Amino acid sequence: MSLFDPVEEDRFTFGLWTVGNPGRDPFGEPVRPRVGPNDIVRGLAACGAHGVNLHDNDLVPFGASARERDRIVKEFQAALAETGLKVPMATTNLFSHPVFKDGAFTANDPKVRAFALQKTMRAMDLGAELGAKIFVFWGGREGSEADACRDPRDAWGRMRDAIDFLCEYCKEQGYGMKFALEAKPNEPRGDIYLPTTGHMLHFISTLQNEAMVGVNPEVAHEVMAGLSFAHNVAEAMACDKLFHIDLNGQKIGRYDQDLRFGSEDQKGAFLLVRLLEGTLGGAPYTGPLHFDAHAYRSEDQDGVWEFAKGCMRTYKILKHKAQAFDADPEVRDIIQAQRDDAVDALLCGGYSPEKAQELKSLDIDAAKIGERGLRYERLDQLLVEHLLGVRG
Ligand code: GCO
Ligand code: MN
Ligand code: MN
């Protein structure tokens, strides 16, 4: 067994829709036959994944009878038991069916909003039956092209009403789930409401059950918005709101590519893994590491499993490199060079009149500090050398 082979403690998960993606795109037909959910579970287990996540309709087709649903769920549970795979997260498909073309929770027609709530409560029942403790909300259709169709404040308020309602439903059922909201700036809508993780964090602070709601940031989505993914994740972690994460790869300025984790922007991926693993010294993220990505359209099913193994392997390689980087004495020396514990103590722990006086009378040589080189060129070069494998 190699250092980079996945093990249970790595908490790697994939969605049924990710390794099950048949390679359809807006310009072309599927290139791979559809693989059933139970075979996906077996394939993922063989790759070393810990869990599988799903939308309601990834498992139970839209409109299936109650009997059919129960049979499908029973067979799926048998596949889970056979392989030991878990279902840490579940979600609702509120985007595929034409009924959601104007949105789900934010649609103008109240019957559509009622249908979306109905479908989500059932998806939560399904998730609970499979043991999911995280429920994701990705509002892919919650947006607009013809912006004159509604006051955007109504969309915001409807979204809040829906999440408030569903929190209460979840509590009443005793499901013990946490909600994770996933932002995206556009695609499939021209503009999607609540477009970034920062917007979501503020939105959450207005909810009735704020404590049970966090975020599910995705690499591709923040990069599409032109933002630093690691900075967004760090804000969520600092607020204790990183409940789930969607890992993938994305080129800047493109459509949502959902590429293999670490296949693009290796430096960004390195800094993200370093943050999640806390190798610099901060508290690590301990939730599931979910890959929301799919294989290139050039691949057959063997290529899909290569893709899945690649996501996990690259994560572990980057974790190893982050540990080596933060243990490198030269790196530590550069980062620690500006430490001043006495001054830091004045800046922590809030305001007091004495501290204000002390701060005012501090003799700080701004000219000298301004002249000092910070050696960040060297630091970044060290990062590049660790990443390229010539150091550490
Ligand atoms: C996308 C999204 C989705 C969601 C998924 C789970 O851009 O298509 O990332 O893959 O993550 O629907 O909510
Ligand atoms: Mn996603
Ligand atoms: Mn996405």
Side-chain angles (χ1 to χ4, degrees):
M1 175 134 177
S2 131
L3 182 60
F4 304 127
D5 287 343
V7 291
E8 166 123 23
E9 300 76 68
D10 292 323
R11 316 176 317 276
F12 291 138
T13 64
F14 290 82
L16 280 181
W17 71 97
T18 63
V19 281
N21 181 299
R24 185 191 295 110
D25 72 15
F27 303 95
E29 299 299 324
V31 293
R32 297 182 280 268
R34 188 177 175 273
V35 181
N38 304 335
D39 286 334
I40 293 181
V41 165
R42 291 184 195 105
L44 281 176
C47 289
H50 156 75
V52 61
N53 301 319
L54 48 92
H55 300 87
D56 48 356
N57 301 137
D58 297 338
L59 183 64
V60 182
F62 187 96
S65 70
R67 250 182 79 193
E68 206 183 340
R69 175 211 183 271
D70 291 348
R71 178 190 57 79
I72 293 170
V73 173
K74 230 174 116 193
E75 286 177 17
F76 189 66
Q77 282 171 323
L80 293 171
E82 169 197 321
T83 56
L85 241 66
K86 304 280 180 295
V87 179
M89 177 274 256
T91 183
T92 327
N93 183 328
L94 295 172
F95 42 89
S96 293
H97 194 280
V99 71
F100 300 124
K101 63 190 171 194
D102 185 38
F105 299 141
T106 63
N108 280 349
D109 184 339
K111 288 188 291 305
V112 175
R113 281 181 265 137
F115 187 70
L117 281 185
Q118 199 178 75
K119 194 169 191 293
T120 305
M121 287 189 282
R122 288 181 187 144
M124 286 169 61
D125 302 341
L126 173 66
E129 211 174 322
L130 297 171
K133 289 291 172 210
I134 300 164
F135 202 84
V136 161
F137 291 82
W138 174 62
R141 297 278 175 201
E142 315 289 8
S144 65
E145 293 82 28
D147 244 325
C149 74
R150 73 189 132 250
D151 184 329
R153 286 173 297 187
D154 287 340
W156 205 85
R158 288 171 189 166
M159 186 67 97
R160 200 175 46 190
D161 288 346
I163 302 292
D164 281 343
F165 185 94
L166 291 165
C167 281
E168 291 299 331
Y169 177 74
C170 184
K171 286 193 334 195
E172 192 190 59
Q173 300 299 311
Y175 288 158
M177 287 172 176
K178 293 201 286 187
F179 290 4
L181 312 186
E182 178 176 347
K184 188 174 182 181
N186 59 276
E187 195 189 345
R189 300 311 298 269
D191 284 290
I192 297 179
Y193 302 123
L194 299 164
T196 70
T197 297
H199 289 86
M200 283 300 183
L201 287 170
H202 171 258
F203 172 76
I204 291 166
S205 74
T206 71
L207 296 173
Q208 279 167 5
N209 289 281
E210 190 185 339
M212 69 182 274
V213 188
V215 290
N216 176 38
E218 174 171 318
V219 177
H221 300 179
E222 306 296 324
V223 173
M224 286 168 74
L227 302 175
S228 154
F229 188 61
H231 289 191
N232 279 269
V233 170
E235 183 178 351
M237 288 173 89
C239 302
D240 288 326
K241 288 296 184 192
L242 188 67
F243 288 4
H244 198 260
I245 191 162
D246 279 4
L247 301 170
N248 55 21
Q250 173 76 23
K251 282 185 201 268
I252 203 154
R254 309 285 158 93
Y255 63 94
D256 187 20
Q257 296 177 302
D258 293 336
L259 301 168
R260 189 179 75 257
F261 178 67
S263 62
E264 295 293 331
D265 183 18
Q266 282 85 12
K267 189 172 170 181
F270 169 86
L271 291 167
L272 172 68
V273 173
R274 180 189 192 222
L275 173 70
L276 293 173
E277 297 295 329
T279 58
L280 179 58
Y285 164 74
T286 55
L289 292 163
H290 173 70
F291 297 103
D292 188 10
H294 50 75
Y296 301 136
R297 201 161 177 268
S298 53
E299 300 311 292
D300 61 9
Q301 197 55 39
D302 288 344
V304 171
W305 300 124
E306 275 308 312
F307 145 86
K309 285 186 228 163
C311 287
M312 298 186 280
R313 185 171 167 82
T314 301
Y315 187 97
K316 294 197 78 163
I317 294 170
L318 290 172
K319 176 175 171 181
H320 185 73
K321 295 216 170 274
Q323 284 162 342
F325 179 73
D326 281 316
D328 185 325
E330 202 181 340
V331 169
R332 294 168 76 100
D333 183 53
I334 296 173
I335 294 174
Q336 309 245 326
Q338 295 176 65
R339 258 182 80 163
D340 187 327
D341 292 344
V343 176
D344 235 343
L346 279 179
L347 303 171
C348 303
Y351 178 85
S352 75
E354 297 74 35
K355 269 194 190 173
Q357 281 316 311
E358 243 191 284
L359 271 168
K360 276 177 138 178
S361 59
L362 258 191
D363 189 14
I364 298 169
D365 189 344
K368 195 169 155 218
I369 296 174
E371 277 164 17
R372 187 185 55 194
L374 302 181
R375 290 191 286 152
Y376 290 170
E377 279 290 355
R378 178 67 187 150
L379 180 67
D380 197 75
Q381 180 63 24
L382 287 169
L383 187 161
V384 170
E385 294 196 9
H386 272 270
L387 210 45
L388 295 183
V390 295
R391 189 175 170 112

